[in-house]
Amino acid sequence: MLGRLNHVAIAVRDIAAASAVYRDTLGAQVSEPQRLPEHGVTVVFVVLPNTKIELLEPLGEGSPIAKFLEKSPDGGMHHVCYEVDDIIVARDKLKAGGARVLGDGNPKIGAHGKPVLFLHPKDFCGTLVELEQV
Ligand code: CO
């Protein structure tokens, strides 16, 4: 069912500082920040040869990242995103196996303009999992 690792997302307090770490200290290619109010985040993409890192900073009230940063004030790994061919087929198979899909269970359009779903971390080794249809 799973395809490539699309990205690893890292929650950060200060996306400008985090971008500088990836660009200047680690020498990676880093995008301009994009504000995504519908997802409650500002995102920067770090492009690596085999995958991407997404730096996520809270944006606006009720950001899903704000709560995470309360527990992990230094920031940290927020989720991993795996590619799937058909997100509805994947969702239905996972649900049939007892996995919990977050939200209303329907795919939303994610930061890359593709349908995404999130799976409950308790069902996946303590890690929030995003599926993206590619
Ligand atoms: Co993501």
Side-chain angles (χ1 to χ4, degrees):
M1 181 164 55
L2 292 186
R4 294 173 63 244
L5 173 67
N6 186 277
H7 61 268
V8 174
I10 298 176
V12 302
R13 276 194 187 285
D14 180 341
I15 206 159
S19 294
V21 167
Y22 271 86
R23 185 184 57 236
D24 303 333
T25 308
L26 294 171
Q29 186 191 325
V30 171
S31 78
E32 289 300 310
Q34 292 177 28
R35 294 162 64 88
L36 303 174
E38 69 278 22
H39 294 286
V41 296
T42 301
V43 62
V44 161
F45 299 106
V46 180
V47 181
L48 303 178
N50 62 340
T51 191
K52 293 184 286 277
I53 304 295
E54 269 181 21
L55 304 175
L56 302 175
E57 181 189 70
L59 174 64
E61 295 293 307
S63 168
I65 305 302
K67 231 178 184 173
F68 181 94
L69 287 172
E70 274 172 32
K71 290 185 203 151
S72 302
D74 295 330
M77 201 196 81
H78 186 261
H79 65 266
V80 293
C81 177
Y82 302 117
E83 298 179 355
V84 294
D85 289 331
D86 186 324
I87 203 162
I88 299 299
V89 168
R91 176 197 66 188
D92 291 349
K93 190 173 176 199
L94 288 162
K95 279 174 80 173
R100 287 166 283 183
V101 177
L102 300 187
D104 66 6
N106 292 312
K108 283 188 185 171
I109 297 302
H112 311 110
K114 308 254 177 70
V116 301
L117 279 175
F118 285 91
L119 307 174
H120 201 295
K122 284 201 161 64
D123 297 332
F124 295 95
C125 312
T127 305
L128 179 61
V129 172
E130 179 179 20
L131 298 179
E132 180 172 303
Q133 180 172 298
V134 292

